[in-house]
Amino acid sequence: MKRNRKVKILATLGPVSSEEAMIERLFVAGADVFRINMSHASHDIMRILVARIRRIEKKYGRPIGILADLQGPKLRVGTFSDGRAELIAGQVFTLDDKNHPGDNQRVYLPNPEILEAVKPGERLLIDDGKLELISEECDGHSIKCRVVTGTFISDRKGVSLPDTTLCVGALTKKDYSDLGAVLQEEIDWVALSFIQRPEDISEVRNITRGRSSILSKIEKPQAVQRLAEIVELSDAVMVARGDLGVEMPLESVPGTQIEIINVCRMAGKPVVVATQMLESMINAPVPTRAEVSDVATAVFEGADAIMLSAESASGCYPIEAVQTMDRIACKIECDPNYGLMINAKHSKPEPTGADAISLAARQIAETLNLSAIVAYTSTGKTGIRASRERPNTQIVALSPIVETARRLALVWGLYSVVTEDAHDLDDMVDRACAIARSEKISKPGDRIIVTAGVPLGSPGTTNMLRIAYINEDEEEGGI
């Protein structure tokens, strides 16, 4: 199941892709990580999906990553007497704390934190920006607004606040419950929605305590303003372009995407580009040319992973969507411009032995045209450091810990293999050579480079680099 690309594909599971046979087909088609959207999945459904993925993982002997995406503070208006109301640009419309059906003058807003936080002059965007309001008067119980654009509002439409920082955490009561259930399962990544500040991540990390890695979704302007701090505290980041495109001008999203990818690459943190990548394939068997270019741009920029949402969760062509994304990525990575663009953004190594070893491994592997960089990694940090260099050479991440191998399924260029820990240095080199050959990454006569930490079994001590030959009698493989 070795992929012919280095960027990873993250596929969302949903109504059309929850059965085990379909999940298996998505994996064979190219999905490396599966996303479970807790906005729609109950705890029981989540557990069933995890069990199905793990059975497929066991069948193919390849680590598969699972990401649970928490809903976050999704803000919505209440209901209307007639299900909807017609508004006129320029009129006054009020959001308040009175829990009864709305009309064309007012509606209930069941979020006191919004009523308390919004200030005059700030925007409120309803229904993904289709209706724009400007607040004029705020007293903590109601927000009197002027309608700027839009003509209708209906039941339970979402509210976005591009100008307002809410004094609440990123987790709701539902999120706390979902997170508790997620941490009891074999789930590798937890995605945080609508974060605004670094403290949101710290709160969740105190709960997870290493049981799952944290992926921060950047979908609010407030998060972009504190991007470096958020990236530093996160294990990975997602460019969540859907809500980001609602809360900031659409023309600003491409530049923000590049900024987020660059900051993540410089920090050595995996970054995912998501939302509407192949949107037309929800209903069509082929994408638009613009969508192909969009996916290609994310690959050219060096994203670790690209994600499918409704395309694989509820669309008519989930398999075709994964296959299309796989073909685009493979083609772009063979393009002569790809190497030029990737190499133009190499991050500056930190003054540590581990970073020096990773940099040297890339330079030696490319200078000597070695067939693989084999990195022993317990925590995953050595594998991520190797990926951060974006080498042309195939990276093989060997780990005795299956949870580490699963987490690395999200990371650019890493082919993860679960294997027993080496007994000594000779065993380490022999095992690396055997696995490189058995996985058909190297052949007899090839050379590989091996990086590891000495003494063996000491996490975070990558300090050894060795070049080794692949002999005729190497037979051992990963497990």
Side-chain angles (χ1 to χ4, degrees), residues 399-449:
S399 181
I401 303 171
V402 66
E403 291 81 5
T404 296
R406 289 167 175 166
R407 286 197 298 272
L408 295 179
L410 186 73
V411 182
W412 185 97
L414 295 187
Y415 181 77
S416 300
V417 177
V418 182
T419 182
E420 294 179 2
D421 216 346
H423 307 300
D424 52 40
L425 286 177
D426 288 339
D427 182 38
M428 178 181 290
V429 174
D430 291 344
R431 188 182 297 270
C433 292
I435 291 174
R437 182 179 176 188
S438 67
E439 296 289 336
K440 296 181 171 52
I441 293 168
S442 304
K443 61 184 184 298
D446 284 348
R447 292 178 295 174
I448 65 172
I449 195 163

Side-chain angles (χ1 to χ4, degrees), residues 265-396:
R265 285 197 57 190
M266 293 303 104
K269 299 294 179 72
V271 57
V272 182
V273 176
T275 319
Q276 297 180 330
M277 301 211 78
L278 296 176
E279 184 84 353
S280 67
M281 290 194 74
I282 295 173
N283 298 305
V286 294
T288 66
R289 276 57 172 172
E291 288 167 341
V292 173
S293 294
D294 182 39
V295 174
T297 297
V299 178
F300 273 126
E301 290 169 355
D304 287 77
I306 43 183
M307 192 180 95
L308 295 168
S309 299
E311 301 97 327
S312 60
S314 56
C316 299
Y317 303 95
I319 303 299
E320 291 84 351
V322 174
Q323 291 172 334
T324 298
M325 190 166 268
D326 177 77
R327 288 198 303 272
I328 296 169
C330 290
K331 183 65 175 178
I332 295 305
E333 290 182 4
C334 293
D335 190 288
N337 293 308
Y338 177 73
L340 296 175
M341 295 180 68
I342 289 294
N343 290 327
K345 295 182 180 180
H346 276 305
S347 59
K348 182 179 179 180
E350 297 176 7
T352 64
D355 269 27
I357 290 290
S358 297
L359 174 60
R362 174 181 66 83
Q363 292 174 332
I364 293 171
E366 293 180 354
T367 300
L368 300 180
N369 194 27
L370 306 185
S371 60
I373 297 170
V374 181
Y376 279 87
T377 180
S378 295
T379 63
K381 290 182 179 179
T382 299
I384 291 173
R385 283 192 184 99
S387 169
R388 178 182 179 180
E389 292 298 325
R390 296 295 194 263
N392 297 327
T393 310
Q394 174 69 63
I395 310 169
V396 182

Side-chain angles (χ1 to χ4, degrees), residues 3 33 46 74 90 128 134 137 155 179 190 244 349 355 361 388 390 396 400 410 417 461-462:
R3 312 298 191 195
V33 181
M46 177 269 292
K74 189 70 174 178
D128 290 339
I134 291 287
E137 297 179 22
D155 293 349
L179 182 58
V190 172
L244 195 60
D355 269 27
R388 178 182 179 180
R390 296 295 194 263
V396 182
L410 186 73
V417 177
T461 59
T462 303

Side-chain angles (χ1 to χ4, degrees), residues 448-464:
I448 65 172
I449 195 163
V450 183
T451 67
V454 179
L456 302 177
S458 301
T461 59
T462 303
N463 56 11
M464 187 209 78

Side-chain angles (χ1 to χ4, degrees), residues 22 67 116 139 160 175 232 241 343 404:
M22 178 58 78
L67 179 146
E116 295 169 2
D139 60 11
S160 299
D175 294 326
E232 182 179 358
R241 305 179 304 178
N343 290 327
T404 296

Side-chain angles (χ1 to χ4, degrees), residues 21 28 51 144 228 238 267 433:
V28 172
K144 184 179 291 187
M238 179 184 291
C433 292

Side-chain angles (χ1 to χ4, degrees), residues 114-135:
I114 297 180
L115 298 174
E116 295 169 2
V118 172
K119 298 178 178 60
E122 294 181 342
R123 291 171 295 162
L124 294 88
L125 305 178
I126 315 294
D127 191 13
D128 290 339
K130 295 181 179 68
L131 175 66
E132 181 180 342
L133 310 175
I134 291 287
S135 63

